[in-house]
Amino acid sequence: MSDVPATTRKMMSKAKSDGTLDLRLEEIPMPTPKPGELLVRVEASPINPSDLGLFIGMADYANATKGGTAELPTLSMPVPQFARGMYAPRLDQPLTVGNEGAGIVVAAGSPDHEGMIGRAVAFATGDLYSDYCVVPVPVAIPLPDGVSPREGASSFVNPMTALSMTEVMRREGHKALIHTAAASNLGQMLNKICIADGIPLVNIVRKAEQAEILKGIGADYVVNSQDDDFFPQLVAAIEATGATLAFDAVGGGGLAGSIITAMELGLVKKMDEYSRYGSPVMKQVYIYGRLDLSPSTIPPSVGMAWGVGGFLLPNFLATISQEDRMKMGGRVMAQLKTTFASQYTDEISLTDVLNPDIIAKYDAKATGTKFLVNPTK
């Protein structure tokens, strides 16, 4: 490890008992990989909604207090009183940040793995907003030849979530899907998967330009929730596809209820006789994001065969076999430059991550906006 610096920087987030959230870039001694581990120089890590939930959550970065130095900045942000209960389980515990990313192996903990030195690898360890990370060998996935760390940085969260949606559909006996906030990076991947696999997909967006993005990659069914005739359009698309399963990134408000109601209307039309309980066909919405933090509302017009639940990628992956997980991961690696390619709207440094003006941009949760952290920048 003669060419490796003596220290590394690592991003930390700590909710404090005084009602503030403390973010800081710390300098720590360079870790030494043990047998079965690799030391990786991080070159790219995306900012995903799941990162923001841990990193910032409901803290008020508009009223943050800056500290530290230019190289090792800190940020102290007040947490609104109504949101402090969300932080209770993690009070005064410094937590690392950065779910996934990619970099170059610079050292190995044992001679058996020295052949990986110099290889570009992707991994998901939860501490990627760092200059260097120690990574267990089984977790470090070699990127295909010709794929850079930047191209492989988002090879886990979005690709595997999109593939998991189609797997859930098959396992639960549905034949088509509905997806909200559908023009996101994940949404575009899901469209490409569904087109390739012949799965009907109804896309719900919020802007006309988002609809055009999806139509440009071949989407057949795109409806805009801001259109005056959104609900009739949604009913028609669901009737055409027979979709009875939805994945909702919005979470709050009445969208999930509207989706289930639209499903129910299409199913009732096909019933031979009236039932006061509505259609017996199960209609399911899984909430996997919370762009809207208000409660979800379900009207009484949905019948009695429906469900709304949460969906989290690691929970789903724990229910399937290692063989199936490897099959999904293999598909991602083989299509990193096509189906699973991620587009980034900006690339920032580790110190930029703690700039309140930049936080306001990457925390806006705007569809189609994705930031990449580059520790070498």
Side-chain angles (χ1 to χ4, degrees):
M1 294 175 52
S2 58
D3 296 331
V4 177
T7 61
T8 181
R9 296 174 300 167
K10 190 174 292 290
M11 192 72 70
M12 307 297 294
S13 173
K14 181 168 71 172
K16 301 173 69 175
S17 302
D18 64 2
T20 61
L21 184 69
D22 182 78
L23 307 180
R24 62 182 58 239
L25 193 57
E26 292 185 349
E27 187 173 47
I28 62 174
M30 182 67 67
T32 300
K34 299 174 183 178
E37 295 180 338
L38 304 168
L39 182 65
V40 180
R41 182 180 69 245
V42 182
E43 296 195 355
S45 180
I47 298 179
N48 293 313
S50 55
D51 296 307
L52 292 173
L54 171 68
F55 188 45
I56 296 174
M58 298 291 289
D60 181 10
Y61 50 80
N63 290 297
T65 300
K66 298 180 182 179
T69 66
E71 294 77 20
L72 297 171
T74 66
L75 211 58
S76 179
M77 305 182 291
V79 176
Q81 187 69 43
F82 75 87
R84 292 182 184 179
M86 298 170 58
Y87 295 87
R90 53 172 286 195
L91 282 181
D92 300 316
Q93 300 179 54
L95 303 176
T96 56
V97 190
N99 280 331
E100 64 176 340
I104 305 297
V105 178
V106 296
S110 62
D112 291 346
H113 300 118
E114 288 181 352
M116 294 189 71
I117 295 175
R119 287 295 305 268
V121 295
F123 51 104
T125 55
D127 60 348
L128 270 293
Y129 297 168
S130 308
D131 292 311
Y132 291 81
C133 288
V134 168
V135 183
V137 171
V139 176
I141 309 301
L143 293 174
D145 291 341
V147 175
S148 69
R150 189 180 197 277
E151 293 169 320
S154 296
S155 58
F156 181 73
V157 175
N158 282 350
M160 294 293 278
T161 299
L163 284 172
S164 293
M165 291 174 179
T166 61
E167 287 299 309
V168 170
M169 182 202 73
R170 295 185 183 98
R171 289 165 188 264
E172 295 189 358
H174 303 275
K175 64 178 183 178
L177 289 172
I178 301 167
H179 187 221
T180 70
S184 63
N185 269 263
L186 189 156
Q188 293 181 47
M189 291 178 189
L190 181 60
N191 270 274
K192 293 173 184 177
I193 293 168
C194 289
I195 291 169
D197 294 358
I199 298 171
L201 174 64
V202 178
N203 298 275
I204 299 176
V205 299
R206 293 177 288 181
K207 296 180 180 179
E209 53 266 37
Q210 295 169 354
E212 292 306 312
I213 290 172
L214 295 179
K215 290 176 182 177
I217 61 176
D220 290 323
Y221 303 96
V222 186
V223 292
N224 187 340
S225 62
Q226 302 306 304
D227 287 347
D228 292 338
D229 60 344
F230 162 64
F231 190 72
Q233 286 187 54
L234 179 61
V235 173
I238 290 174
E239 287 182 344
T241 59
T244 49
L245 174 64
F247 286 88
D248 180 23
V250 177
L255 185 54
S258 294
I259 292 170
I260 301 174
T261 300
M263 292 176 181
E264 175 70 1
L265 285 175
L267 291 166
V268 167
K269 288 181 181 179
K270 299 176 182 178
M271 293 176 62
D272 294 330
E273 59 183 59
Y274 168 77
S275 169
R276 72 184 74 181
Y277 304 115
S279 168
V281 176
M282 184 63 185
K283 302 164 289 293
Q284 178 70 45
V285 174
Y286 286 115
I287 293 173
Y288 76 97
R290 295 308 300 261
L291 296 176
D292 184 338
L293 294 175
S294 66
S296 302
T297 57
I298 309 298
S301 54
V302 294
M304 295 300 291
W306 58 273
V308 176
F311 179 83
L312 187 67
L313 175 63
N315 292 351
F316 171 74
L317 293 179
T319 69
I320 65 177
S321 67
Q322 176 68 11
E323 181 182 1
D324 286 342
R325 290 194 294 270
M326 291 180 64
K327 182 178 178 181
M328 293 167 64
R331 181 173 179 176
V332 173
M333 288 296 155
Q335 300 175 27
L336 273 177
K337 292 193 175 187
T338 53
T339 300
F340 302 107
S342 287
Q343 306 299 323
Y344 303 103
T345 51
D346 210 341
E347 186 172 315
I348 62 176
S349 69
L350 277 174
T351 54
D352 289 337
V353 174
L354 295 184
N355 182 323
D357 293 334
I358 296 177
I359 292 176
K361 295 177 182 178
Y362 67 66
D363 191 48
K365 302 179 181 69
T367 297
T369 298
K370 192 173 185 69
F371 278 64
L372 186 74
V373 179
N374 179 356
T376 71
K377 187 176 175 65

